[in-house]
Amino acid sequence: MRTITFFLVGLAVHVVFFISIFDIYFTSPLVHGMTPQMVPLPPPASRLVLVVADGLRADSLYTLNPNGSSRAPYLRSVMEERGTWGVSHTHVPTESRPGHVALIAGFYEDVSAVAKGWKENPVEFDSVFNESRHTWCWGSPDILPMFAKGASGDHVYTHTYPAEEEDFASTDASRLDSWVFAQVKLFFQSAKSNSSLKASLNEGQNVFFLHLLGIDTNGHAHRPMSQEYLDNIALVDSGVAELVSVVEEFFGYDGRTAYVFTSDHGMTNWGSHGAGHPSETLTPLVVWGAGVHHAQRVTDPQSYSDGYLQDWKLEHFRRVDVNQADIAPLMASLIGVPIPVNSVGVLPLLYLNNSDQFKAESIYTNAIQILEQFKVKMTQKKETTLSFFFTPFQLLTESKQAEFIHQARILIQLEKYEDVISLCRSVISHALEGLVYYHTYDRFFLGCSVVLGFVGWTSYVILLILKTHAGLRRPPSHTAQILSQTLVKLCVCVTVVITVFLFIQSSPVTYYIYCLLPVPVWYSVLKESGTLTDLVHSAPSLPLCKCFGYFVLVTFGIELLVVSFFHRAMLTVGLAVVSVWPILSGLYGKAKFRSVSWLLGCLCLAAFPLMPVVGREPNIHLVTCAGALTLFTSVCYLLSSRQRTPLHLSDKQQFFAQMLHVAVCAYVPNLTHSSLQQKQGLPLFSQIISWTTLGSSMLVPLFSSTRLFHRLLSIFLSLTATYLLLSTGSEALFPPVLSWLMYVWINIEQEAMLAQGVSGRQELSTIDFSENIDITKLRQLKLDDIRRSYFFVFFVITAFFGTGNIASINSFDPASVYCFLTVFNPFIMGGLMMWKVIIPFIIVMCTFETIQVATQLSSRSLFLIVLVISDLMALHFFFLVQDYGSWLDIGTSISHYVIVMSMTIFLMLLSVVTHILTSRRLILWKRRKMHFT
């Protein structure tokens, strides 16, 4: 197989493996075709007011001030006198979109929906708003439109402020909440003189939704413990008190209004959210008004072991915790609308202040509503599975479903309401288990297909390496041709059987890809089985002890890398081990200065994984120090290399301009954050410098000298300038330290080549990237190249996780992009953060490309080993996904699998481009050689 063909096929295979994880684990849980279910009794409330304080933590609302006063006196009085309160437990990812979907629609959206936008619905869903008669909404333009778009008819009305108002540099983000309260007040005032609007308001089953973004914005900008955040809570509390007064006055104090106050997610102490820390998943819930229990005093200890009741001084008031999705059926029951058909929430009966019959009918309706989803899910899976392969969910067979409905109706007629409630809760539990069972019905089958393809691909690459570099090529024989023809026939038969099987089951197109991919892959493996036979025959002549030693070391190294995805400190252990490599290999005696530099570089880099994740403790002064360190190392290199490789005047001018640019970029974060602290907004100068630097970061190095170290220095200065603008603390020191270690690595690999006796070693300072490659000097792979490839993968992982940039979704800090923009824009901000993550990766990649040139090895050869190592890591994570039981652990392993596969695909793309360029240079070299001949 030609090199370019191999890379393209490999790229396609890895894209399939990459997409498969989303198709297996991130499919939408929604089904359609259910009949809406509603309680057949009159509801206790005619209208409902839902107030969502975006980004409000439970402890921030419930904890008292040091002087014993409440941060939210009105809501505190509601909790202690006329309402029921508790903690709403959210699910990962703790972001605004899935949080609001769980609150209003009652189901937990799959993780992939977070990346599909806040204003668009990847899959249409039902909600309390959709089931209501009318819904009026006020708040953020990022949240409200998705519920208006998904509603049937034209009865959801949204009122939003301009998106530009969501500015983290705002002098006071609480004005967003003030705007909402003011608009609601004006709305009710105007309704008094608008007869048609007043008539609509006086109808039943209406919802008023207030989305308050100020707390979240202040939390991101100033942290949840800041005075701005706490003052915003007080503003919301007074706003809610005034809101209740306005609503009650408008409706003549008829006692038919229910109120729900909660939050979509919490926030960490460093002002971020998205992961599963308790500060992100524990949100407040306060419910009062029509149909809601008044505060219940308790004397016995409550069954909560988290210790929060004592901290909040609420141990004598009944606490009722719920899952976030449970709030949707609660709201539906209060105003008498059907529970959203896709809801998986369980009605929290302890919030309801109504008759036992109403509670029994409500929980029965809830059970039927979830059972309807189960029936549709079961029918869909049954229709697409051959009857003799279909395994139904045993706890809820069709006969058991009919038995439950019959038994529940009899118990209601006999007025045995407690028995009805107990029976319905049991059925709801079984139905929810059944929904998961059918949703994941094909997961094991698809996982096995992907693993089979993965193992086959990795085996093929290993055989290709052995065939190419172990001298195991054999001439084609008659027996091999017969075996190849037999394999072709066998593969055709297997392909036909799989295709017919999937066609009969009406399987999606992607199922064909996942199930048929292993066939050609394993055909290629079995076709190269002769290589494995030759290896076995030549085993006595191989250095088995050395090979086994490398195998053990690589296995240990891969396990260390896998563990480092879960525990960043393992990278420190790995760097400590790597630091002594020159001593163990004997290089220390031949290159003491470089060996000591390597040791110090590894140990300095080892400190970063032990530091807190980026964004927790901003320290702009460290960014300035990083700029100074960058300039110092650059000057040291230029002074030390001026004798060996003198610079032209144009190169000197470019380096001077780049160093001056780094100095400016080190100053800009200080200027920006100082301006924001003084609430003077984002300086225009900072924006101009930042966006100009970003746009030129990949272009400026192309105009530098093509000498090896000169080009690398230009790349380093250009990328570091951008990195400084995206830094808020100690992570700014990471690129200079990493680059220092990469410089030492290039030099020490030259010494390793000399120690191995490789002839024709070229002086590093004389290497020019623009020179043509002499293919006669390219060598075969050696065992030591496995070590080089592993070092590359290790440094790539260190570049990703060394500062914790993507170790967790909640390590994102909006302050990192304040030099570029402060108005909330998730996609631009996310893109900037991804570029920050990629910068250290590019530094490592450029270093590895340099080592390939310096060690006289083709890029394809080393890349094959890198491909095997990364594929083994990805396969390891895929197996971890299969083993884990909790969704949080599964999600963590999936994210790590995605990272490894993304890295591999990126490397393959880069290798394809590199190979095309290299091939062109080889052709030019061949033509030149023929001309001279």
Side-chain angles (χ1 to χ4, degrees), residues 254-474:
D254 61 356
R256 297 281 297 171
T257 306
Y259 300 89
V260 176
F261 179 89
T262 187
S263 175
D264 54 347
H265 56 75
M267 187 172 290
T268 61
N269 289 338
W270 52 95
S272 63
H273 53 81
H277 191 272
S279 62
E280 301 165 87
T281 59
L282 303 183
T283 59
L285 175 62
V286 184
V287 187
W288 71 100
V292 180
H293 261 303
H294 284 225
Q296 301 287 312
R297 283 189 170 273
V298 294
T299 54
D300 298 330
Q302 301 187 58
S303 58
Y304 296 101
S305 58
D306 50 26
Y308 291 131
L309 284 170
Q310 290 74 25
D311 296 339
W312 299 335
K313 310 299 182 187
L314 289 168
E315 61 268 26
H316 299 304
F317 298 94
R318 185 175 66 174
R319 168 182 166 185
V320 183
D321 283 12
V322 300
N323 288 319
Q324 195 172 45
D326 299 343
I327 299 175
L330 173 62
M331 294 190 295
S333 296
L334 287 172
I335 58 174
V337 299
I339 299 173
V341 294
N342 301 117
S343 171
V344 294
V346 182
L347 180 63
L349 294 176
L350 291 178
Y351 278 86
L352 296 180
N353 182 20
N354 215 310
S355 64
D356 291 340
Q357 181 187 4
F358 182 85
K359 294 179 181 179
E361 288 285 4
S362 297
I363 195 71
Y364 173 75
T365 302
N366 192 188
I368 294 297
Q369 170 260 324
I370 295 177
L371 198 58
E372 282 284 315
Q373 295 182 72
F374 173 83
K375 290 179 180 179
V376 173
K377 201 86 170 179
M378 181 182 69
T379 302
Q380 289 180 350
K381 188 52 58 183
K382 195 172 183 179
E383 290 176 349
T384 57
T385 306
L386 295 177
S387 57
F388 50 87
F389 282 128
F390 181 72
T391 306
F393 184 65
Q394 297 300 325
L395 295 178
L396 269 184
T397 58
E398 294 182 357
S399 60
K400 290 183 179 180
Q401 296 174 39
E403 180 184 349
F404 155 71
I405 295 174
H406 177 70
Q407 187 177 357
R409 293 317 307 174
I410 291 177
L411 290 174
I412 290 176
Q413 292 173 6
L414 296 175
E415 298 184 357
K416 294 183 178 181
Y417 300 126
E418 289 297 329
D419 294 338
V420 174
I421 292 172
S422 177
L423 176 63
C424 290
R425 282 176 171 165
S426 175
V427 170
I428 288 174
S429 176
H430 293 330
L432 292 176
E433 290 179 22
L435 283 173
V436 175
Y437 173 80
Y438 286 119
H439 184 62
T440 60
Y441 192 84
D442 294 330
R443 186 171 289 179
F444 180 77
F445 165 68
L446 294 176
C448 290
S449 299
V450 172
V451 167
L452 194 62
F454 225 134
V455 172
W457 169 258
T458 307
S459 303
Y460 174 70
V461 174
I462 293 174
L463 288 174
L464 196 62
I465 294 173
L466 293 173
K467 180 179 178 180
T468 307
H469 297 279
L472 300 178
R473 294 179 180 270
R474 56 164 59 183

Side-chain angles (χ1 to χ4, degrees), residues 41-250:
L41 300 176
S46 298
R47 66 201 69 90
L48 180 134
V49 179
L50 172 63
V51 181
V52 177
D54 202 307
L56 177 61
R57 294 161 44 149
D59 61 338
S60 296
L61 179 69
Y62 295 149
T63 303
L64 299 177
N65 289 320
N67 61 3
S69 63
S70 174
R71 296 169 179 172
Y74 177 78
L75 289 172
R76 185 81 177 196
S77 67
V78 169
M79 294 160 53
E80 295 179 353
E81 297 172 9
R82 59 184 186 279
T84 301
W85 73 282
V87 173
S88 171
H89 296 263
T90 68
H91 281 208
V92 176
T94 47
E95 298 289 345
S96 290
R97 179 195 168 96
H100 281 86
V101 169
L103 281 171
I104 301 167
F107 72 92
Y108 302 106
E109 209 167 24
D110 70 89
V111 181
S112 63
V114 178
K116 296 178 181 177
W118 274 255
K119 298 180 182 179
E120 298 295 331
N121 296 329
V123 179
E124 298 301 331
F125 54 83
D126 193 17
S127 70
V128 174
F129 295 175
N130 183 51
E131 298 292 351
S132 68
R133 191 181 305 275
H134 300 286
T135 295
W136 289 271
C137 311
W138 297 267
S140 168
D142 296 319
I143 296 297
L144 306 189
M146 68 178 180
F147 292 103
K149 180 186 175 184
S152 58
D154 187 21
H155 65 279
V156 178
Y157 313 101
T158 60
H159 307 273
T160 64
Y161 40 74
E164 293 75 20
E165 294 294 320
E166 300 175 9
D167 191 346
F168 294 117
S170 169
T171 55
D172 185 11
S174 63
R175 75 182 192 283
L176 299 175
D177 300 341
S178 299
W179 182 92
V180 171
F181 287 122
Q183 290 297 312
V184 175
K185 189 175 180 180
L186 288 173
F187 172 78
F188 281 104
Q189 287 178 352
S190 64
K192 293 178 181 179
S193 57
N194 187 329
S195 58
S196 61
L197 177 58
K198 188 174 182 179
S200 298
L201 290 173
N202 283 313
E203 293 177 332
Q205 300 181 339
N206 286 337
V207 177
F208 304 95
F209 172 44
L210 285 71
H211 176 246
L212 308 176
L213 189 61
I215 292 176
D216 184 74
T217 306
N218 271 320
H220 285 308
H222 306 290
R223 308 296 186 261
M225 300 304 170
S226 65
Q227 194 59 46
E228 289 85 353
Y229 187 88
L230 299 179
D231 288 344
N232 206 150
I233 294 175
L235 182 145
V236 167
D237 180 71
S238 61
V240 170
E242 186 178 4
L243 168 70
V244 172
S245 176
V246 170
V247 172
E248 293 297 330
E249 179 187 357
F250 181 85

